[in-house]
PDB file of all heavy atoms in Angstrom:
ATOM      1  N   TRP P   1       0.840  -1.185   0.000  1.00  0.00           N
ATOM      2  CA  TRP P   1       0.000   0.000   0.000  1.00  0.00           C
ATOM      3  C   TRP P   1       0.877   1.237   0.000  1.00  0.00           C
ATOM      4  O   TRP P   1       1.879   1.286   0.714  1.00  0.00           O
ATOM      5  CB  TRP P   1      -0.897   0.012   1.234  1.00  0.00           C
ATOM      6  CG  TRP P   1      -2.033  -0.968   1.189  1.00  0.00           C
ATOM      7  CD1 TRP P   1      -2.038  -2.240   1.679  1.00  0.00           C
ATOM      8  CD2 TRP P   1      -3.328  -0.748   0.630  1.00  0.00           C
ATOM      9  NE1 TRP P   1      -3.249  -2.840   1.462  1.00  0.00           N
ATOM     10  CE2 TRP P   1      -4.077  -1.934   0.818  1.00  0.00           C
ATOM     11  CE3 TRP P   1      -3.931   0.329  -0.010  1.00  0.00           C
ATOM     12  CZ2 TRP P   1      -5.385  -2.070   0.387  1.00  0.00           C
ATOM     13  CZ3 TRP P   1      -5.245   0.204  -0.435  1.00  0.00           C
ATOM     14  CH2 TRP P   1      -5.964  -0.981  -0.245  1.00  0.00           C
ATOM     15  N   ILE P   2       0.492   2.232  -0.797  1.00  0.00           N
ATOM     16  CA  ILE P   2       1.249   3.469  -0.914  1.00  0.00           C
ATOM     17  C   ILE P   2       0.305   4.646  -0.678  1.00  0.00           C
ATOM     18  O   ILE P   2      -0.789   4.699  -1.248  1.00  0.00           O
ATOM     19  CB  ILE P   2       1.897   3.614  -2.306  1.00  0.00           C
ATOM     20  CG1 ILE P   2       2.800   2.418  -2.603  1.00  0.00           C
ATOM     21  CG2 ILE P   2       2.668   4.913  -2.403  1.00  0.00           C
ATOM     22  CD1 ILE P   2       3.997   2.299  -1.692  1.00  0.00           C
ATOM     23  N   ASN P   3       0.729   5.593   0.170  1.00  0.00           N
ATOM     24  CA  ASN P   3      -0.058   6.805   0.388  1.00  0.00           C
ATOM     25  C   ASN P   3       0.648   7.982  -0.265  1.00  0.00           C
ATOM     26  O   ASN P   3       1.796   8.287   0.064  1.00  0.00           O
ATOM     27  CB  ASN P   3      -0.243   7.077   1.884  1.00  0.00           C
ATOM     28  CG  ASN P   3      -1.187   8.233   2.141  1.00  0.00           C
ATOM     29  OD1 ASN P   3      -0.835   9.397   1.955  1.00  0.00           O
ATOM     30  ND2 ASN P   3      -2.395   7.917   2.563  1.00  0.00           N
ATOM     31  N   GLN P   4      -0.046   8.634  -1.190  1.00  0.00           N
ATOM     32  CA  GLN P   4       0.493   9.814  -1.853  1.00  0.00           C
ATOM     33  C   GLN P   4      -0.585  10.887  -1.899  1.00  0.00           C
ATOM     34  O   GLN P   4      -1.709  10.645  -2.363  1.00  0.00           O
ATOM     35  CB  GLN P   4       0.957   9.489  -3.277  1.00  0.00           C
ATOM     36  CG  GLN P   4       2.195   8.622  -3.335  1.00  0.00           C
ATOM     37  CD  GLN P   4       2.689   8.429  -4.756  1.00  0.00           C
ATOM     38  OE1 GLN P   4       1.989   8.720  -5.718  1.00  0.00           O
ATOM     39  NE2 GLN P   4       3.902   7.938  -4.904  1.00  0.00           N
ATOM     40  N   ASN P   5      -0.207  12.067  -1.401  1.00  0.00           N
ATOM     41  CA  ASN P   5      -1.135  13.203  -1.407  1.00  0.00           C
ATOM     42  C   ASN P   5      -2.480  12.835  -0.782  1.00  0.00           C
ATOM     43  O   ASN P   5      -3.550  13.182  -1.297  1.00  0.00           O
ATOM     44  CB  ASN P   5      -1.336  13.722  -2.838  1.00  0.00           C
ATOM     45  CG  ASN P   5      -0.035  14.174  -3.474  1.00  0.00           C
ATOM     46  OD1 ASN P   5       0.815  14.751  -2.813  1.00  0.00           O
ATOM     47  ND2 ASN P   5       0.123  13.894  -4.763  1.00  0.00           N
ATOM     48  N   ASN P   6      -2.398  12.104   0.336  1.00  0.00           N
ATOM     49  CA  ASN P   6      -3.579  11.704   1.110  1.00  0.00           C
ATOM     50  C   ASN P   6      -4.506  10.758   0.344  1.00  0.00           C
ATOM     51  O   ASN P   6      -5.686  10.648   0.666  1.00  0.00           O
ATOM     52  CB  ASN P   6      -4.368  12.936   1.578  1.00  0.00           C
ATOM     53  CG  ASN P   6      -3.574  13.790   2.546  1.00  0.00           C
ATOM     54  OD1 ASN P   6      -2.877  13.258   3.407  1.00  0.00           O
ATOM     55  ND2 ASN P   6      -3.665  15.099   2.406  1.00  0.00           N
ATOM     56  N   LYS P   7      -3.991  10.069  -0.651  1.00  0.00           N
ATOM     57  CA  LYS P   7      -4.735   9.048  -1.363  1.00  0.00           C
ATOM     58  C   LYS P   7      -3.964   7.734  -1.297  1.00  0.00           C
ATOM     59  O   LYS P   7      -2.730   7.739  -1.327  1.00  0.00           O
ATOM     60  CB  LYS P   7      -4.963   9.439  -2.824  1.00  0.00           C
ATOM     61  CG  LYS P   7      -5.912  10.617  -3.021  1.00  0.00           C
ATOM     62  CD  LYS P   7      -6.153  10.867  -4.505  1.00  0.00           C
ATOM     63  CE  LYS P   7      -7.141  12.006  -4.720  1.00  0.00           C
ATOM     64  NZ  LYS P   7      -7.420  12.237  -6.175  1.00  0.00           N
ATOM     65  N   TRP P   8      -4.712   6.628  -1.206  1.00  0.00           N
ATOM     66  CA  TRP P   8      -4.079   5.323  -1.120  1.00  0.00           C
ATOM     67  C   TRP P   8      -4.046   4.639  -2.490  1.00  0.00           C
ATOM     68  O   TRP P   8      -5.014   4.714  -3.255  1.00  0.00           O
ATOM     69  CB  TRP P   8      -4.822   4.431  -0.131  1.00  0.00           C
ATOM     70  CG  TRP P   8      -4.525   4.789   1.294  1.00  0.00           C
ATOM     71  CD1 TRP P   8      -5.289   5.525   2.147  1.00  0.00           C
ATOM     72  CD2 TRP P   8      -3.357   4.418   2.035  1.00  0.00           C
ATOM     73  NE1 TRP P   8      -4.682   5.657   3.369  1.00  0.00           N
ATOM     74  CE2 TRP P   8      -3.490   4.986   3.328  1.00  0.00           C
ATOM     75  CE3 TRP P   8      -2.219   3.676   1.736  1.00  0.00           C
ATOM     76  CZ2 TRP P   8      -2.527   4.820   4.312  1.00  0.00           C
ATOM     77  CZ3 TRP P   8      -1.249   3.515   2.720  1.00  0.00           C
ATOM     78  CH2 TRP P   8      -1.414   4.079   3.979  1.00  0.00           C
ATOM     79  N   TYR P   9      -2.926   3.973  -2.755  1.00  0.00           N
ATOM     80  CA  TYR P   9      -2.715   3.225  -3.982  1.00  0.00           C
ATOM     81  C   TYR P   9      -2.162   1.857  -3.602  1.00  0.00           C
ATOM     82  O   TYR P   9      -1.667   1.650  -2.484  1.00  0.00           O
ATOM     83  CB  TYR P   9      -1.733   3.933  -4.918  1.00  0.00           C
ATOM     84  CG  TYR P   9      -2.158   5.329  -5.313  1.00  0.00           C
ATOM     85  CD1 TYR P   9      -1.901   6.414  -4.475  1.00  0.00           C
ATOM     86  CD2 TYR P   9      -2.799   5.577  -6.517  1.00  0.00           C
ATOM     87  CE1 TYR P   9      -2.290   7.695  -4.824  1.00  0.00           C
ATOM     88  CE2 TYR P   9      -3.189   6.860  -6.882  1.00  0.00           C
ATOM     89  CZ  TYR P   9      -2.927   7.918  -6.028  1.00  0.00           C
ATOM     90  OH  TYR P   9      -3.311   9.183  -6.375  1.00  0.00           O
ATOM     91  N   TYR P  10      -2.208   0.923  -4.560  1.00  0.00           N
ATOM     92  CA  TYR P  10      -1.639  -0.399  -4.304  1.00  0.00           C
ATOM     93  C   TYR P  10      -0.622  -0.717  -5.386  1.00  0.00           C
ATOM     94  O   TYR P  10      -0.959  -0.865  -6.565  1.00  0.00           O
ATOM     95  CB  TYR P  10      -2.728  -1.473  -4.276  1.00  0.00           C
ATOM     96  CG  TYR P  10      -2.234  -2.784  -3.723  1.00  0.00           C
ATOM     97  CD1 TYR P  10      -2.102  -2.967  -2.346  1.00  0.00           C
ATOM     98  CD2 TYR P  10      -1.879  -3.836  -4.567  1.00  0.00           C
ATOM     99  CE1 TYR P  10      -1.638  -4.159  -1.825  1.00  0.00           C
ATOM    100  CE2 TYR P  10      -1.415  -5.031  -4.056  1.00  0.00           C
ATOM    101  CZ  TYR P  10      -1.291  -5.192  -2.685  1.00  0.00           C
ATOM    102  OH  TYR P  10      -0.822  -6.371  -2.161  1.00  0.00           O
ATOM    103  N   LEU P  11       0.656  -0.777  -4.960  1.00  0.00           N
ATOM    104  CA  LEU P  11       1.755  -1.063  -5.877  1.00  0.00           C
ATOM    105  C   LEU P  11       1.889  -2.570  -6.034  1.00  0.00           C
ATOM    106  O   LEU P  11       2.045  -3.298  -5.061  1.00  0.00           O
ATOM    107  CB  LEU P  11       3.058  -0.466  -5.340  1.00  0.00           C
ATOM    108  CG  LEU P  11       4.305  -0.667  -6.188  1.00  0.00           C
ATOM    109  CD1 LEU P  11       4.169   0.091  -7.503  1.00  0.00           C
ATOM    110  CD2 LEU P  11       5.550  -0.198  -5.437  1.00  0.00           C
ATOM    111  N   GLN P  12       1.836  -3.033  -7.284  1.00  0.00           N
ATOM    112  CA  GLN P  12       1.906  -4.462  -7.561  1.00  0.00           C
ATOM    113  C   GLN P  12       3.348  -4.915  -7.786  1.00  0.00           C
ATOM    114  O   GLN P  12       4.262  -4.097  -7.907  1.00  0.00           O
ATOM    115  CB  GLN P  12       1.038  -4.787  -8.784  1.00  0.00           C
ATOM    116  CG  GLN P  12      -0.418  -4.361  -8.602  1.00  0.00           C
ATOM    117  CD  GLN P  12      -1.252  -4.612  -9.833  1.00  0.00           C
ATOM    118  OE1 GLN P  12      -2.061  -5.534  -9.862  1.00  0.00           O
ATOM    119  NE2 GLN P  12      -1.067  -3.795 -10.874  1.00  0.00           N
ATOM    120  N   ASN P  13       3.547  -6.216  -7.846  1.00  0.00           N
ATOM    121  CA  ASN P  13       4.890  -6.783  -7.996  1.00  0.00           C
ATOM    122  C   ASN P  13       5.596  -6.322  -9.263  1.00  0.00           C
ATOM    123  O   ASN P  13       6.827  -6.239  -9.309  1.00  0.00           O
ATOM    124  CB  ASN P  13       4.828  -8.312  -7.981  1.00  0.00           C
ATOM    125  CG  ASN P  13       4.600  -8.858  -6.581  1.00  0.00           C
ATOM    126  OD1 ASN P  13       5.005  -8.249  -5.602  1.00  0.00           O
ATOM    127  ND2 ASN P  13       3.942  -9.996  -6.489  1.00  0.00           N
ATOM    128  N   ASP P  14       4.817  -6.029 -10.308  1.00  0.00           N
ATOM    129  CA  ASP P  14       5.444  -5.625 -11.569  1.00  0.00           C
ATOM    130  C   ASP P  14       5.762  -4.133 -11.612  1.00  0.00           C
ATOM    131  O   ASP P  14       6.191  -3.613 -12.645  1.00  0.00           O
ATOM    132  CB  ASP P  14       4.552  -6.003 -12.755  1.00  0.00           C
ATOM    133  CG  ASP P  14       3.189  -5.308 -12.701  1.00  0.00           C
ATOM    134  OD1 ASP P  14       2.945  -4.522 -11.762  1.00  0.00           O
ATOM    135  OD2 ASP P  14       2.362  -5.562 -13.602  1.00  0.00           O
ATOM    136  N   GLY P  15       5.549  -3.441 -10.492  1.00  0.00           N
ATOM    137  CA  GLY P  15       5.876  -2.020 -10.432  1.00  0.00           C
ATOM    138  C   GLY P  15       4.757  -1.113 -10.886  1.00  0.00           C
ATOM    139  O   GLY P  15       4.924   0.115 -10.869  1.00  0.00           O
ATOM    140  N   THR P  16       3.619  -1.654 -11.286  1.00  0.00           N
ATOM    141  CA  THR P  16       2.474  -0.836 -11.702  1.00  0.00           C
ATOM    142  C   THR P  16       1.470  -0.749 -10.562  1.00  0.00           C
ATOM    143  O   THR P  16       1.480  -1.568  -9.625  1.00  0.00           O
ATOM    144  CB  THR P  16       1.790  -1.423 -12.944  1.00  0.00           C
ATOM    145  OG1 THR P  16       1.257  -2.717 -12.617  1.00  0.00           O
ATOM    146  CG2 THR P  16       2.790  -1.538 -14.088  1.00  0.00           C
ATOM    147  N   TYR P  17       0.599   0.247 -10.661  1.00  0.00           N
ATOM    148  CA  TYR P  17      -0.439   0.409  -9.656  1.00  0.00           C
ATOM    149  C   TYR P  17      -1.735  -0.275 -10.111  1.00  0.00           C
ATOM    150  O   TYR P  17      -2.073  -0.275 -11.297  1.00  0.00           O
ATOM    151  CB  TYR P  17      -0.701   1.897  -9.400  1.00  0.00           C
ATOM    152  CG  TYR P  17       0.379   2.551  -8.586  1.00  0.00           C
ATOM    153  CD1 TYR P  17       1.488   3.122  -9.199  1.00  0.00           C
ATOM    154  CD2 TYR P  17       0.300   2.597  -7.198  1.00  0.00           C
ATOM    155  CE1 TYR P  17       2.491   3.714  -8.456  1.00  0.00           C
ATOM    156  CE2 TYR P  17       1.298   3.193  -6.439  1.00  0.00           C
ATOM    157  CZ  TYR P  17       2.393   3.744  -7.079  1.00  0.00           C
ATOM    158  OH  TYR P  17       3.384   4.337  -6.329  1.00  0.00           O
ATOM    159  N   LYS P  18      -2.429  -0.845  -9.172  1.00  0.00           N
ATOM    160  CA  LYS P  18      -3.690  -1.518  -9.472  1.00  0.00           C
ATOM    161  C   LYS P  18      -4.726  -0.467  -9.868  1.00  0.00           C
ATOM    162  O   LYS P  18      -4.898   0.537  -9.181  1.00  0.00           O
ATOM    163  CB  LYS P  18      -4.153  -2.302  -8.246  1.00  0.00           C
ATOM    164  CG  LYS P  18      -5.166  -3.391  -8.548  1.00  0.00           C
ATOM    165  CD  LYS P  18      -5.364  -4.276  -7.346  1.00  0.00           C
ATOM    166  CE  LYS P  18      -6.250  -5.473  -7.690  1.00  0.00           C
ATOM    167  NZ  LYS P  18      -5.620  -6.367  -8.695  1.00  0.00           N
ATOM    168  N   THR P  19      -5.428  -0.678 -10.958  1.00  0.00           N
ATOM    169  CA  THR P  19      -6.443   0.258 -11.442  1.00  0.00           C
ATOM    170  C   THR P  19      -7.675  -0.510 -11.918  1.00  0.00           C
ATOM    171  O   THR P  19      -7.575  -1.653 -12.375  1.00  0.00           O
ATOM    172  CB  THR P  19      -5.920   1.112 -12.610  1.00  0.00           C
ATOM    173  OG1 THR P  19      -5.546   0.257 -13.697  1.00  0.00           O
ATOM    174  CG2 THR P  19      -4.708   1.946 -12.194  1.00  0.00           C
ATOM    175  N   ARG P  20      -8.852   0.137 -11.768  1.00  0.00           N
ATOM    176  CA  ARG P  20     -10.124  -0.381 -12.279  1.00  0.00           C
ATOM    177  C   ARG P  20     -10.310  -1.856 -11.942  1.00  0.00           C
ATOM    178  O   ARG P  20     -10.704  -2.665 -12.782  1.00  0.00           O
ATOM    179  CB  ARG P  20     -10.212  -0.161 -13.789  1.00  0.00           C
ATOM    180  CG  ARG P  20     -10.118   1.292 -14.212  1.00  0.00           C
ATOM    181  CD  ARG P  20     -10.179   1.437 -15.709  1.00  0.00           C
ATOM    182  NE  ARG P  20     -11.456   0.960 -16.237  1.00  0.00           N
ATOM    183  CZ  ARG P  20     -11.747   0.905 -17.545  1.00  0.00           C
ATOM    184  NH1 ARG P  20     -10.834   1.281 -18.433  1.00  0.00           N
ATOM    185  NH2 ARG P  20     -12.925   0.463 -17.941  1.00  0.00           N
ATOM    186  N   SER P  21      -9.998  -2.218 -10.719  1.00  0.00           N
ATOM    187  CA  SER P  21     -10.127  -3.633 -10.343  1.00  0.00           C
ATOM    188  C   SER P  21     -10.254  -3.754  -8.829  1.00  0.00           C
ATOM    189  O   SER P  21      -9.982  -2.822  -8.072  1.00  0.00           O
ATOM    190  CB  SER P  21      -8.913  -4.439 -10.824  1.00  0.00           C
ATOM    191  OG  SER P  21      -7.715  -3.886 -10.312  1.00  0.00           O
ATOM    192  N   TRP P  22     -10.710  -4.951  -8.415  1.00  0.00           N
ATOM    193  CA  TRP P  22     -10.900  -5.246  -7.001  1.00  0.00           C
ATOM    194  C   TRP P  22      -9.624  -5.850  -6.402  1.00  0.00           C
ATOM    195  O   TRP P  22      -8.841  -6.492  -7.089  1.00  0.00           O
ATOM    196  CB  TRP P  22     -12.043  -6.243  -6.820  1.00  0.00           C
ATOM    197  CG  TRP P  22     -13.403  -5.682  -7.143  1.00  0.00           C
ATOM    198  CD1 TRP P  22     -14.072  -5.788  -8.327  1.00  0.00           C
ATOM    199  CD2 TRP P  22     -14.235  -4.942  -6.257  1.00  0.00           C
ATOM    200  NE1 TRP P  22     -15.275  -5.150  -8.250  1.00  0.00           N
ATOM    201  CE2 TRP P  22     -15.423  -4.617  -6.985  1.00  0.00           C
ATOM    202  CE3 TRP P  22     -14.126  -4.508  -4.943  1.00  0.00           C
ATOM    203  CZ2 TRP P  22     -16.465  -3.902  -6.433  1.00  0.00           C
ATOM    204  CZ3 TRP P  22     -15.163  -3.797  -4.383  1.00  0.00           C
ATOM    205  CH2 TRP P  22     -16.320  -3.486  -5.111  1.00  0.00           C
ATOM    206  N   LEU P  23      -9.471  -5.658  -5.098  1.00  0.00           N
ATOM    207  CA  LEU P  23      -8.372  -6.271  -4.343  1.00  0.00           C
ATOM    208  C   LEU P  23      -8.933  -6.789  -3.031  1.00  0.00           C
ATOM    209  O   LEU P  23      -9.616  -6.060  -2.302  1.00  0.00           O
ATOM    210  CB  LEU P  23      -7.268  -5.250  -4.059  1.00  0.00           C
ATOM    211  CG  LEU P  23      -6.193  -5.701  -3.055  1.00  0.00           C
ATOM    212  CD1 LEU P  23      -5.300  -6.778  -3.686  1.00  0.00           C
ATOM    213  CD2 LEU P  23      -5.349  -4.528  -2.574  1.00  0.00           C
ATOM    214  N   GLN P  24      -8.657  -8.056  -2.738  1.00  0.00           N
ATOM    215  CA  GLN P  24      -8.999  -8.610  -1.436  1.00  0.00           C
ATOM    216  C   GLN P  24      -7.740  -8.656  -0.590  1.00  0.00           C
ATOM    217  O   GLN P  24      -6.741  -9.276  -0.961  1.00  0.00           O
ATOM    218  CB  GLN P  24      -9.602 -10.012  -1.560  1.00  0.00           C
ATOM    219  CG  GLN P  24     -10.117 -10.553  -0.231  1.00  0.00           C
ATOM    220  CD  GLN P  24     -10.734 -11.936  -0.363  1.00  0.00           C
ATOM    221  OE1 GLN P  24     -10.266 -12.753  -1.167  1.00  0.00           O
ATOM    222  NE2 GLN P  24     -11.782 -12.216   0.396  1.00  0.00           N
TER     223      GLN P  24
END
């Protein structure tokens, strides 16, 4: 999990961020 500018993102193993998808 990455917090940038008060927003949370999820950095994946391939170095990209998870987008338009679910995460459990």
